[in-house]
Amino acid sequence: QVQLLESEGGLVQAGGSLKLACTASGRTFGGYGMGWYRQAPGKERELVAAITNGGRTNIADSVKGRFTISRDNVKNTVYLQMNSLKPEDTAIYRCGTGPGVILGVPGAGTYWGQGTQVTVSS
């Protein structure tokens, strides 16, 4: 069993920055990569960024150049640095780990955090 705990999101003005953290406990997440997903009202869940155990990343085109993902294996934590935020980045962000997470197709065995709200005002 893996527990994922996300840091609080928040309200930020367009153009601002925010950093999210996701810390894993229980069984380590060494077997799978970690990913950040988001879901806005009325929209489907989408991959934002994911990172493998070896540090390879998969970044969505919509956030490429603005968001970066990194991980600290000692702290069992994955970070999502979000810069140049736009109103369309407003969503609930959740971290996950499990098969398919890296590729943007999380399977039934995915572990998820509770989600955190990020709101970007114009």
Side-chain angles (χ1 to χ4, degrees):
Q1 194 78 1
V2 176
Q3 292 82 42
L4 301 175
L5 182 62
E6 297 133 347
S7 60
E8 280 194 25
L11 172 64
V12 63
Q13 287 189 331
S17 298
L18 195 62
K19 187 173 185 177
L20 301 179
C22 174
T23 300
S25 60
R27 198 182 73 196
T28 63
F29 59 39
Y32 296 108
M34 297 281 289
W36 283 97
Y37 285 71
R38 68 185 182 186
Q39 187 166 17
K43 294 188 177 181
E44 292 188 357
R45 179 181 60 198
E46 63 175 352
L47 171 69
V48 178
I51 187 167
T52 68
N53 296 333
R56 287 192 304 171
T57 60
N58 181 15
I59 311 293
D61 288 342
S62 60
V63 304
K64 202 166 288 185
R66 300 188 296 122
F67 292 12
T68 56
I69 187 170
S70 60
R71 63 189 293 162
D72 183 332
N73 288 337
V74 174
K75 295 182 178 179
N76 286 344
T77 300
V78 171
Y79 302 97
L80 182 69
Q81 177 67 50
M82 303 183 290
N83 299 327
S84 301
L85 282 159
K86 303 176 181 180
E88 51 263 43
D89 294 319
T90 295
I92 295 175
Y93 286 69
R94 299 179 77 187
C95 64
T97 184
V101 166
I102 295 296
L103 299 177
V105 284
T110 299
Y111 293 97
W112 294 103
Q114 79 282 2
T116 187
Q117 177 71 45
V118 173
T119 302
V120 184
S121 62
S122 57

